[in-house]
Amino acid sequence: MLTSLKKTLGIGICLLGIGAAADTEIRNFKSELSRLPEGKKSEDVFYKTAPALKLDSGEAGKQKSNNVAHGFYIFGEQARALRGKKIRFEAQIQRREGKAPLRGSFRISGNGNKNMTSKNAFLLSPAENKKWEKVSADFAIPELDGIENINFLLSMYPRGVEEDCWLVDDPVISMIEDNPVAEKWQKNIGIAAFDSAGTPLVLAGNGVKAKVVVGLKANAVARFAAKEIVDHIQAATGEVLEITTDDTGNGPAIHVGNTKLTRSYGIDPEQMAPENWVIARVGSAVMISGGEKPDAAESEILSRANIPLGTLSAAYEFLERVAGVRWYWPGKLGTVVPRQKTIRIGHLYETGTPSYNTRMFFYDTSSDPSISNREMRLWFRRIRSGGSVGDPIANHTFMDWPERFGKNHPEYFALLSDGSRKNYRNAHGVHLCLSHPGVVAQAVRDAVAWFKANPSAKFYAIMPGDSNNLYYCRCERCQKSASPEKDSSGVHSNAVWSFVNQVAAEVAKEVPGKRIKCASYADYQARPDFPILSNVAVTLCYPTTPHSRIYNRKHYLRHVKEWHSSGAAELYLWDYWDKPRYSRGVYGAPSFFPREIKEWLTLDGGVIKGRVIELSGIDSNGKKVDAWGDWLYDVQNVYVVNRLMWNRNEDVEKILNEFYPAFYGPAAEPVRQFYTEMERAWSCSPASDKPAEWDWEACWKKTYPPEFVDKMMGLLRSAVAVSQGKEPYHSRALKTLEGFLPFEANSRMFRGQKAPAPQTIRVPSVSAPPVADGNPDEEVWKKAARIADFVDSYNSYEQKARTEMRFLHDKNNLYVSVKAEWPPERKEILFADNAHPRDALLWNYEGVELFFAGGDSERYQFILSPDSKMADFHWLEKDPKTPGIQWNSPQTRAATKRIANGWTGEIAIPLADLKFKNPAGNGTFRVNFFRNHYPKEGNQVRWEQSCWMPTFGSFHDVGKYGIMHLE
Ligand SMILES: [Zn+2]
């Protein structure tokens, strides 16, 4: 009887034989049949009472060319009231003449919107003529806005060879279910998942294509998630699933986000806790949903924004758990999608919520041109980077204050040692007089105004510029609030956090519930002596190097504990992962490994709410790339840490055991051995209760000695060899080997390396000294002691800058001339153009440094940069932690002059200023001389440092200095 059943928009149709009685009659059209025009009315043949509807082509041979049709309409409010309901059309039909089938079609029409029309069609062709039969068809009315009418159209296309005639009687439309999806008796998800577990559900493959259902008003998150599901299931099975808004619950379906099905189980992304997610099977459907920002735009999804994307995360959970998908690296090469004939599930009911509410990365755009920015952002989303609370991480602020208040309120800015106000912004940011009441009041006004303009934001940063200790305000009030008795990590804690508390207290009055954020950083890293207010969020900046050393772990725990009891609302962590790679001498040395990551997170689990992980902003040559340098060093770590920040209970061994075979195939074993041996070498260090040394000797001689590096690189080379011809494993092994080549190259530079024996400079005395005008052309310089041929500070890295210094003295001064040059192909050099002429941190720019030490580590440092900029320091400890910049040698005269491809300079230092508690001898200093050269290459800056006596590390290592005698 039923010859054809066609679905266009997937609205389910059942014809004939449905026994269930309709629940509620919506419209009975019988009474309307008597108003039909004569040609459409059958008075002699009808079902029970006259008349019936007649669809007649007319006599044979005179058939109309057009179809003969009649529609049964429900209009306006009555139609709109049926949104989301399931209705049934029923009628008695009888074929009187001919063979033309009767077509039924169902439509929804709305005002001017093409999407409003929904159609279904079927054909009826009964075996016998002149016999009444009952037909019925069911339809779900979608939740469309602006519905104008719902109609059921019956039509017949005359065949043109004979008379065709159909009769239709007792047409009725009824509601059959209030909710077409849920069963009459609701189940909870757990029972639904349990009851359906016994029957495997095929979602894709072998010709099965589950529909991927999104809500009619699906947000960007659900649409993006649906697309990700479709793309990955296609890659796994070859089946292309259709994304639809058809929510009738027929056949296998994957419901994404907010659909009628998920709502019928109480799952609504707008109601769920942020990032809380669920994936569950109920009958023949899977629900994938999670708490999210409802109006997130696709551009936000592909960004660093910390917005809850619960449904998208649930989709990735689904793809990982059900389809075995893994995103180990960014891009296609890094994606593992196991090929499967079918994707099938039994029982499925998983939920979760992230262990950390903030999972961010700094320097997270790769400097590798083979990876696009989009691929990188997508990868971070796929491994669940992001968060739910906005941006709780503090960073340096007040950047626009010099522009706003620099002229009219110079008193708002830090007083410098030369008496000027730092009412300008430099590379270190902006530094204020934090004790000034006007500064507090203005910071409060700014915070309140910002919160009012950004009502959904929760955090507002107030944090001094970088190098706070050096630029700390020297006014009387600020100096009183400093705590010189505390060590370098706490000297300005009380001052900075008192300012933060004052601002937070006022902001709480006007915008309660919001947070003021600041970092515990540098000279205000230690907890202050008083409690932190409860509307302050603190970002702990804790530069541990290396993380794994026991001293560092204990110290870190103490630090976290100290702040945990501070009263602050929340603690976050700026996690400097790659700090071990930031120093010359250890460039290119891998640091941090998966098992250590788990241990590191265990230390602060539950106390730290979120972290931003700083990846390496310089590459293995020491080049500043301000992007993710040597991403291959970290990519496995980033994958692992994201899994652990998402769920810190995960077993690292399980992650790794999946990773090697899935990702490297035939090369799995050598790569596994490489990473395991590397982590073993890295994590095993001599027990010590002191901060661990991480310098070129600890690195290249003790941790990764040459024979070890050779063995490790051998493993990667064999991984490449055994995977030859087997893609994508070979490409991955090759990329891994290439990624770690800098490890081998840096190791080679330090093989057999030894510091040269210290040399001596004998400085002649002159009676007619030169004039320090920057141009060392006086005849007297010809008599000077001369040093040149500066070497790289490790006597290892290539350096192209040339430096010459000459020395003279008289009874008052030491005179130094400088000639600093670079190759002509270096067109752009980083000069200290915007730096203050006196006591700026000139080591960050083109310049030379002069060190004079006594018998111990007490030393004076002078830095000379074009254009006649100078900084002088006096250091007492081995490490430059004391605020040595406060020392000044006011009588020192210095000047420079630019020349082609370089500059010259002269400096006259009063010998009376080079006083030592423990002098090296009468007229004798321990000395060293350095050159900082920063050529720009595009947007990137390279730091090329060279020196007279290589120090193999910090310039402050006086043990490696040479000797200067004044004759
Ligand atoms: Zn001040």
Side-chain angles (χ1 to χ4, degrees):
M1 202 148 224
L2 179 64
T3 56
S4 162
L5 188 143
K6 187 182 166 200
K7 288 200 248 177
T8 51
L9 277 177
I11 293 174
I13 301 172
C14 310
L15 285 165
L16 303 174
I18 302 278
D23 288 339
T24 323
E25 193 172 280
I26 298 167
R27 184 89 171 248
N28 190 327
F29 296 94
K30 177 67 184 174
S31 60
E32 294 171 23
L33 299 184
S34 55
R35 297 198 292 273
L36 291 168
E38 283 312 308
K40 270 192 163 181
K41 204 151 60 174
S42 167
E43 296 280 5
D44 45 349
V45 182
F46 42 81
Y47 181 61
K48 278 180 183 162
T49 55
L53 164 67
K54 183 172 73 179
L55 298 174
D56 190 2
S57 67
E59 288 167 33
K62 291 205 281 180
Q63 287 85 359
K64 296 163 189 166
S65 54
N66 293 330
N67 69 323
V68 185
H70 185 81
F72 299 98
Y73 284 83
I74 298 173
F75 290 100
E77 279 308 309
Q78 198 188 2
R80 286 188 282 279
L82 296 175
R83 280 179 301 184
K85 316 283 190 207
K86 200 166 183 179
I87 62 169
R88 174 169 297 164
F89 174 84
E90 288 173 300
Q92 298 287 342
I93 61 168
Q94 182 182 133
R95 174 143 62 194
R96 295 297 295 170
E97 305 289 343
K99 285 182 182 150
L102 183 68
R103 297 160 188 264
S105 92
F106 174 75
R107 300 157 192 257
I108 298 168
S109 301
N111 187 15
N113 186 337
K114 282 176 198 155
N115 296 326
M116 291 290 173
T117 304
S118 178
K119 275 194 197 172
N120 263 278
F122 57 88
L123 297 171
L124 295 169
S125 193
E128 278 183 78
N129 284 2
K130 300 187 170 54
K131 197 171 169 187
W132 287 105
E133 288 186 56
K134 187 175 182 181
V135 295
S136 79
D138 293 350
F139 305 96
I141 312 297
E143 286 187 328
L144 293 170
D145 286 332
I147 291 178
E148 290 185 347
N149 69 68
I150 296 167
N151 75 78
F152 192 80
L153 188 78
L154 292 175
S155 62
M156 175 187 73
Y157 286 88
R159 290 150 51 87
V161 292
E162 65 213 327
E163 183 178 351
D164 290 301
C165 179
W166 282 90
L167 298 182
V168 178
D169 207 354
D170 285 2
V172 175
I173 290 178
S174 312
M175 195 188 311
I176 54 169
E177 261 175 31
D178 206 31
N179 183 334
V181 174
E183 292 170 23
K184 210 165 193 178
W185 288 90
Q186 295 278 344
K187 291 174 181 174
N188 68 36
I189 302 173
I191 282 294
F194 173 78
D195 285 349
S196 47
T199 329
L201 174 66
V202 176
L203 295 171
N206 281 346
V208 176
K209 295 181 191 181
K211 36 183 198 180
V212 177
V213 181
V214 296
L216 283 163
K217 291 176 184 166
N219 61 18
V221 183
R223 288 198 303 272
F224 196 90
K227 180 81 170 36
E228 286 284 78
I229 291 167
V230 169
D231 289 351
H232 285 88
I233 287 186
Q234 183 184 1
T237 65
E239 301 285 4
V240 183
L241 308 189
E242 185 196 0
I243 299 175
T244 170
T245 55
D246 170 14
D247 200 355
T248 48
N250 292 324
I254 300 168
H255 288 250
V256 183
N258 184 351
T259 73
K260 195 180 295 167
L261 178 71
T262 70
R263 285 197 302 281
S264 77
Y265 281 95
I267 299 293
D268 178 350
E270 289 188 33
Q271 304 293 325
M272 290 172 79
E275 299 202 285
N276 196 12
W277 58 269
V278 56
I279 54 175
R281 173 185 174 187
V282 290
S284 60
V286 176
M287 300 190 295
I288 294 175
S289 198
E292 68 207 13
K293 186 185 176 204
D295 54 351
E298 185 169 328
S299 58
E300 281 181 288
I301 297 171
L302 289 171
S303 79
R304 291 181 181 85
N306 277 343
I307 48 170
L309 298 167
T311 295
L312 184 59
S313 299
Y316 293 137
E317 289 286 334
F318 169 78
L319 289 169
E320 285 183 344
R321 288 162 189 263
V322 172
V325 175
R326 296 289 183 272
W327 299 278
Y328 290 119
W329 287 358
K332 194 159 181 270
L333 186 62
T335 304
V336 171
V337 184
R339 284 290 297 185
Q340 303 180 58
K341 282 209 177 75
T342 58
I343 305 263
R344 65 172 63 211
I345 55 172
H347 180 261
L348 178 67
Y349 185 17
E350 301 281 352
T351 66
T353 201
S355 297
Y356 290 86
N357 73 25
T358 301
R359 307 172 301 280
M360 289 168 72
F361 292 83
F362 199 72
Y363 295 133
D364 59 354
T365 301
S366 169
S367 55
D368 181 340
S370 74
I371 299 166
S372 72
N373 198 34
R374 188 182 193 279
E375 284 173 318
M376 194 55 95
R377 298 266 63 82
L378 184 57
W379 181 64
F380 274 108
R381 286 307 191 205
R382 285 170 168 171
I383 59 175
R384 265 76 94 213
S385 172
S388 57
V389 294
D391 184 6
I393 306 293
N395 212 331
H396 307 293
T397 49
F398 307 114
M399 296 304 178
D400 61 352
W401 278 46
E403 204 177 301
R404 292 164 66 201
F405 311 113
K407 259 193 192 150
N408 295 336
H409 290 289
E411 74 280 9
Y412 283 6
F413 297 86
L415 182 66
L416 298 176
S417 52
D418 63 0
S420 68
R421 291 279 173 176
K422 191 181 172 286
N423 56 349
Y424 52 90
R425 174 182 168 178
N426 63 2
H428 306 278
V430 174
H431 300 82
L432 303 176
C433 173
L434 296 180
S435 67
H436 195 291
V439 171
V440 175
Q442 186 59 48
V444 170
R445 281 196 292 276
D446 283 3
V448 170
W450 189 84
F451 278 126
K452 287 186 174 166
N454 299 276
S456 63
K458 193 174 168 192
F459 300 90
Y460 181 83
I462 49 168
M463 181 176 167
D466 214 345
S467 302
N468 180 63
N469 195 15
L470 293 166
Y471 294 108
Y472 184 74
C473 182
R474 301 228 154 78
C475 84
E476 214 173 295
R477 233 179 11 241
C478 286
Q479 287 300 314
K480 248 188 230 164
S481 65
S483 320
E485 74 283 2
K486 294 186 193 291
D487 73 10
S488 56
S489 69
V491 57
H492 294 127
S493 283
N494 285 340
V496 170
W497 291 103
S498 157
F499 168 73
V500 171
N501 268 356
Q502 287 177 64
V503 175
E506 292 306 310
V507 169
K509 290 179 196 162
E510 295 216 38
V511 277
K514 303 294 186 183
R515 301 264 190 267
I516 292 296
K517 60 179 175 178
C518 183
S520 91
Y521 178 73
D523 54 312
Y524 46 100
Q525 188 192 85
R527 221 205 97 165
D529 295 336
F530 43 81
I532 301 287
L533 292 191
S534 61
N535 65 326
V536 174
V538 178
T539 304
L540 305 183
C541 295
Y542 193 79
T544 323
T545 305
H547 291 66
S548 62
R549 304 306 197 256
I550 187 70
Y551 173 89
N552 293 335
R553 277 180 276 165
K554 287 181 176 173
H555 199 266
Y556 173 64
L557 269 178
R558 276 201 302 277
H559 185 64
V560 170
K561 193 176 166 190
E562 177 182 81
W563 276 97
H564 190 42
S565 63
S566 69
E570 293 123 13
L571 301 183
Y572 294 88
L573 178 69
W574 192 294
D575 200 350
Y576 298 87
W577 265 22
D578 288 335
K579 200 159 173 290
R581 281 160 50 193
Y582 270 39
S583 310
R584 278 172 81 78
V586 292
Y587 293 151
S591 58
F592 225 30
F593 291 90
R595 295 168 184 89
E596 182 188 16
I597 294 169
K598 171 111 179 172
E599 179 180 39
W600 184 239
L601 265 60
T602 305
L603 296 181
D604 59 51
V607 175
I608 299 292
K609 298 298 172 204
R611 60 220 301 139
V612 54
I613 292 170
E614 183 171 325
L615 300 170
S616 190
I618 63 168
D619 71 8
S620 48
N621 295 314
K623 191 162 145 188
K624 235 177 145 180
V625 289
D626 285 332
W628 186 3
D630 300 297
W631 66 277
L632 255 146
Y633 276 38
D634 295 300
V635 69
Q636 190 196 39
N637 293 334
V638 171
Y639 176 79
V640 168
V641 83
N642 268 299
R643 291 204 74 117
L644 292 175
M645 288 196 292
W646 187 244
N647 173 12
R648 69 164 169 267
N649 301 319
E650 274 218 65
D651 179 359
V652 171
E653 296 310 323
K654 186 169 169 272
I655 297 172
L656 297 176
N657 285 337
E658 281 177 0
F659 169 64
Y660 297 114
F663 201 63
Y664 289 103
E669 282 319 307
V671 178
R672 182 200 300 270
Q673 210 188 330
F674 168 81
Y675 276 110
T676 311
E677 292 304 314
M678 288 292 290
E679 173 150 28
R680 202 191 305 280
W682 165 255
S683 69
C684 297
S685 59
S688 170
D689 57 355
K690 292 195 187 88
E693 293 277 335
W694 185 244
D695 58 14
W696 68 289
E697 283 180 304
C699 175
W700 302 115
K701 293 197 183 277
K702 294 173 187 161
T703 305
Y704 306 130
E707 60 281 7
F708 174 81
V709 175
D710 291 348
K711 188 183 162 203
M712 291 302 102
M713 297 309 289
L715 287 168
L716 292 185
R717 291 196 166 88
S718 77
V720 171
V722 298
S723 58
Q724 198 75 45
K726 291 162 191 155
E727 289 299 345
Y729 307 113
H730 181 66
S731 294
R732 290 170 182 158
L734 195 60
K735 189 107 183 152
T736 307
L737 169 66
E738 285 167 358
F740 281 95
L741 286 176
F743 174 47
E744 186 177 51
N746 279 282
S747 160
R748 280 174 196 243
M749 279 201 297
F750 289 94
R751 294 182 183 192
Q753 198 58 263
K754 274 189 207 150
Q759 296 174 41
T760 301
I761 304 170
R762 297 181 186 283
V763 181
S765 168
V766 289
S767 50
V771 182
D773 61 0
N775 189 10
D777 58 352
E778 292 92 341
E779 273 294 309
V780 67
W781 280 117
K782 289 185 178 156
K783 296 182 185 166
R786 176 180 177 271
I787 59 171
D789 302 324
F790 277 33
V791 296
D792 159 70
S793 65
Y794 283 87
N795 207 7
S796 297
Y797 301 102
E798 185 194 23
Q799 63 92 25
K800 288 184 174 172
R802 299 181 62 79
T803 312
E804 179 199 72
M805 288 189 189
R806 286 177 289 177
F807 305 91
L808 295 167
H809 77 95
D810 60 15
K811 64 181 192 309
N812 296 322
N813 295 302
L814 173 71
Y815 303 91
V816 185
S817 81
V818 177
K819 189 173 189 188
E821 293 173 292
W822 52 80
E825 66 269 18
R826 293 191 171 168
K827 299 287 179 212
E828 270 203 275
I829 308 297
L830 183 67
F831 291 110
D833 286 337
N834 299 317
H836 198 262
R838 185 72 187 227
D839 277 359
L841 303 184
L842 294 177
W843 51 69
N844 294 305
Y845 307 98
E846 169 71 31
V848 294
E849 302 191 34
L850 294 70
F851 281 82
F852 303 91
D856 53 25
S857 60
E858 183 180 5
R859 64 209 177 276
Y860 295 91
Q861 176 185 8
F862 296 82
I863 309 182
L864 182 60
S865 286
D867 300 288
S868 301
K869 288 177 181 169
M870 199 199 88
D872 46 13
F873 308 81
H874 179 211
W875 309 101
L876 292 170
E877 298 166 18
K878 186 168 182 260
D879 294 316
K881 280 181 182 162
T882 47
I885 197 165
Q886 293 182 18
W887 179 80
N888 283 314
S889 168
Q891 301 305 316
T892 291
R893 293 181 308 282
T896 67
K897 209 179 155 204
R898 304 254 190 145
I899 58 172
N901 307 314
W903 56 281
T904 57
E906 284 173 302
I907 179 166
I909 302 167
L911 289 166
D913 283 354
L914 301 178
K915 283 189 294 236
F916 296 94
K917 285 194 194 81
N918 174 22
N922 190 17
T924 299
F925 309 111
R926 291 194 291 159
V927 294
N928 207 350
F929 305 97
F930 300 87
R931 167 83 181 278
N932 293 310
H933 177 57
Y934 294 90
K936 289 189 197 169
E937 294 161 15
N939 290 329
Q940 295 163 349
V941 176
R942 172 193 293 276
W943 181 23
E944 202 178 278
Q945 54 172 248
S946 52
C947 54
W948 178 50
M949 300 302 303
T951 52
F952 289 85
S954 166
F955 290 180
H956 292 260
D957 185 355
V958 297
K960 305 264 183 5
Y961 285 12
I963 305 291
M964 173 178 277
H965 287 302
L966 304 183
E967 299 205 314

